[in-house]
Amino acid sequence: MNETMVCVVGNVATRPVYRETASGPAARFRVAVTSRYWDREKSAWADGHTNFFTVWANRQLATNTAASLSVGEPVIVQGRLKVRTETREGQQGWMSADIDAVAIGHDLARGTTAFRRVPRPEQTAATDRPEPNWETAADTSPPDRKVEGQPLPAAVVMT
């Protein structure tokens, strides 16, 4: 209910680790998020502090993450932020910031990628259906309703 949803943009810092668990596939990797700011004295952009998050993915997202991501690639991660603290006897306490991912993707502002849909077993029967006819009907609008010789889309009805 009161979860903290975050969206981080950064780079994959560690190779995704994939595991088959009793509850299904799971994957984790670290993402580095570096803030940037304008340095007025140098009149240039400068890097600020880098935050590291451990990203956790489950089920199909885990499988696709392990198959798609490599170290150094720019990514966008959306999910629930979990800040954990732990203290152990005789050791200094530590904190970690984890993200339980809902969505992970390449940052297309910094490069290109090729998407390939992973077919689900129940979708294999649906591939036997013929492709629907997406052609629109011929334009029957009056000539004064056209813009510079371009017909209006078939879905627009003007009266």
Side-chain angles (χ1 to χ4, degrees):
M1 280 182 73
N2 294 327
E3 298 172 330
T4 304
M5 296 296 289
V6 295
C7 182
V8 298
V9 178
N11 292 311
V12 177
T14 62
R15 182 181 57 81
V17 177
Y18 178 82
R19 299 275 188 264
E20 287 286 342
T21 65
S23 60
R28 67 173 162 72
F29 66 95
R30 303 269 288 162
V31 63
V33 180
T34 303
S35 64
R36 298 201 23 103
Y37 65 94
W38 181 255
D39 188 340
R40 291 184 195 190
E41 293 175 4
K42 297 178 183 176
S43 295
W45 287 98
D47 288 341
H49 179 74
T50 301
N51 292 307
F52 288 89
F53 299 94
T54 301
V55 178
W56 296 88
N58 295 302
R59 296 177 291 283
Q60 190 64 46
L61 182 59
T63 303
N64 295 343
T65 295
S68 301
L69 299 183
S70 298
V71 173
E73 293 180 342
V75 291
I76 299 174
V77 177
Q78 182 180 11
R80 290 175 291 281
L81 179 65
K82 307 284 185 178
V83 178
R84 296 180 170 90
T85 59
E86 187 174 324
T87 56
R88 296 181 181 160
E89 283 188 40
Q91 295 182 358
Q92 185 178 2
W94 59 271
M95 295 179 71
S96 70
D98 298 349
I99 299 173
D100 290 334
V102 174
I104 300 170
H106 286 110
D107 182 0
L108 298 181
R110 297 190 276 161
T112 62
T113 188
F115 180 80
R116 290 180 305 279
R117 185 175 302 279
V118 177
R120 296 190 305 203
E122 62 268 10
Q123 287 182 334
T124 55
T127 58
D128 296 337
R129 290 185 290 165
E131 181 69 24
N133 183 5
W134 295 105
E135 297 295 322
T136 58
D139 182 29
T140 58
S141 60
D144 62 342
R145 302 278 184 168
K146 295 180 182 177
V147 178
E148 295 296 320
Q150 295 178 346
L152 292 173
V156 175
V157 178
M158 299 185 76
T159 56

